Amino acid sequence: MFKSTARITAIGSYVPERRITNHDLEELVETNDEWIVKRTGIKERRIAHEEEFTSDISYQAVKNLMERYDKSVDDVDMIIVCTLTPDFKTPSVASLIQAKLGIKNTDAIDLNAACAGFTYGLYVANGLITSGLNKKILVIGADTLSKITDYKDRTTCVLFGDGGGAFLVEYDEQQPSFISSYLGSEGEDRNKLYCTNLSKRMNGEDLIDSGYIVQNGREVYKWAVNTVPKGMQSVMKNTAIDLKDVDLFVPHSANLRMIESICERSEFPIERTLYSLVDYGNTSSATIPLSLDKGVREGKIRNGNKLLLYGFGGGLAHAGLLINWIL
């Protein structure tokens, strides 16, 4: 990886006020709190109200960032919103955020790598700044999965929630955040996790055209616990740092049992692993920034810590980043 000149300088987050607990779900589908916690580790999730969308959640996350770190975004020259649930097919969420923030001169794009979206977004931001094309970038990971969740399907409705997180990434030649990365995609297995749009066929087969998330949970689980530990090692290969010397591991918060298996296979202590799923569920591209912000608020993340972030999900796309935390 070429030498970075990009630094993460601020973080913010937002989750909707409405809570749905496991006990609430008992009223909707045949399930119970014990079954959900045992299999997923999730206790509750936040759900956007009917007129609250990804752009609203993204905007609130940026506002939180600005207030906590006393940051101005007037001179942001790129907005990257990582999401699979945009308000519209067009315009992009990023363009909506540009308007909401009143930024006059900025680029704006959405990036869809599903649950790997936020790590992909940070990777792109680092590349743009290090190449000299941009100087100050907002990277937002936000999703409203409740709007594409079938609340009659107990295998998926217990998993998903809504939320968002935002990072400000700026040019800094002296104290860059980004150390190493590894990205990949296994599109051959794309039908293991999908939500239909214009096309209703995949791999030559008709899809379940419900407009909701469809997931082969067993197969996605097997893919993740095999792929992520190998990816973690690939991130570390280009550095002089050993995996055991990483301070904190921050994986996509899909399922606690999955995270435990990944930690076991990679021989990384679960005690040094951050996740946000217990209170928020699987929020797709928002899980990693929510986990990081939770770690910051609880004092678990300190300046100088080496953090290994790893996103994985639909695509089947995955992306890992080793970063130096200097806020």
Side-chain angles (χ1 to χ4, degrees):
M1 182 173 178
F2 52 86
K3 180 173 170 53
S4 173
T5 59
R7 177 182 166 195
I8 298 163
T9 60
I11 180 174
S13 67
Y14 172 81
V15 291
E17 293 182 4
R18 182 186 174 199
R19 287 178 166 86
I20 291 188
T21 67
N22 293 344
H23 296 295
D24 293 328
L25 289 174
E26 292 174 5
E27 304 298 319
L28 299 177
V29 291
E30 186 180 344
T31 191
N32 59 70
D33 176 70
E34 182 182 4
W35 187 91
I36 297 170
V37 172
K38 182 178 180 180
R39 287 162 176 78
T40 71
I42 299 168
K43 294 183 178 179
E44 63 179 46
R45 62 289 293 148
R46 300 297 185 92
I47 304 298
H49 61 73
E50 187 177 348
E51 293 303 319
E52 187 175 32
F53 296 93
T54 299
S55 67
D56 302 305
I57 287 174
S58 300
Y59 175 65
Q60 293 298 332
V62 176
K63 278 186 63 178
N64 179 253
L65 175 155
M66 294 166 62
E67 291 165 2
R68 288 165 57 192
Y69 290 88
D70 193 26
K71 288 284 188 179
S72 169
V73 297
D74 293 344
D75 56 343
V76 161
D77 54 14
M78 169 65 85
I79 301 170
I80 301 173
V81 177
C82 312
T83 187
L84 66 88
T85 54
D87 301 30
F88 310 102
K89 291 180 181 177
T90 190
S92 68
V93 177
S95 290
L96 300 178
I97 296 303
Q98 172 266 315
K100 286 174 183 281
L101 293 170
I103 306 173
K104 297 301 181 184
N105 298 297
T106 187
D107 309 329
I109 59 169
D110 284 2
L111 185 158
N112 180 1
C115 302
F118 193 72
T119 41
Y120 264 85
L122 287 177
Y123 175 85
V124 171
N126 175 44
L128 290 171
I129 289 176
T130 300
S131 70
L133 291 175
N134 294 91
K135 293 290 186 181
K136 191 173 183 179
I137 299 179
L138 273 173
V139 181
I140 302 165
D143 271 300
T144 48
L145 293 183
S146 65
K147 297 183 186 298
I148 56 170
T149 295
D150 182 358
Y151 285 94
K152 295 179 182 178
D153 177 9
R154 74 169 188 163
T155 64
T156 57
C157 74
V158 302
L159 299 173
F160 301 122
D162 304 333
F167 276 18
L168 190 61
V169 185
E170 302 185 63
Y171 178 84
D172 189 332
E173 190 175 355
Q174 301 304 315
Q175 291 185 305
S177 297
F178 298 87
I179 302 170
S180 182
S181 62
Y182 177 74
L183 293 82
S185 175
E186 297 176 29
E188 299 82 0
D189 293 323
R190 57 196 177 273
N191 59 334
K192 292 177 180 176
L193 175 56
Y194 67 85
C195 181
T196 56
N197 190 5
L198 299 180
S199 176
K200 315 303 180 187
R201 289 174 61 81
M202 189 182 295
N203 290 356
E205 298 179 359
D206 291 334
L207 300 175
I208 299 172
D209 184 22
S210 61
Y212 295 127
I213 297 171
V214 178
Q215 175 176 252
N216 185 327
R218 186 182 299 274
E219 289 300 313
V220 172
Y221 185 100
K222 286 165 56 179
W223 170 78
V225 299
N226 279 295
T227 301
V228 177
K230 294 175 184 176
M232 293 165 68
Q233 292 295 338
S234 295
V235 173
M236 306 309 298
K237 278 182 181 178
N238 295 327
T239 75
I241 303 168
D242 194 89
L243 183 59
K244 70 179 187 323
D245 296 320
V246 169
D247 295 292
L248 293 166
F249 175 44
V250 191
H252 164 52
S253 283
N255 178 310
L256 185 54
R257 306 305 160 234
M258 185 183 292
I259 292 173
E260 289 171 343
S261 294
I262 289 169
C263 286
E264 182 179 353
R265 293 197 180 199
S266 62
E267 299 183 350
F268 193 91
I270 188 71
E271 297 79 15
R272 302 207 321 261
T273 301
L274 303 182
Y275 46 86
S276 54
L277 59 86
V278 176
D279 297 323
Y280 303 137
N282 178 345
T283 54
S284 189
S285 60
T287 67
I288 288 177
L290 286 175
S291 298
L292 286 163
D293 202 19
K294 186 172 183 287
V296 169
R297 292 173 184 268
E298 294 176 353
K300 294 179 179 178
I301 302 177
R302 300 178 181 178
N303 277 352
N305 280 170
K306 301 294 186 294
L307 311 183
L308 177 56
L309 320 182
Y310 214 104
F312 53 91
L316 297 169
H318 57 101
L321 297 172
L322 181 64
I323 64 172
N324 188 27
W325 192 262
I326 317 170
L327 253 65

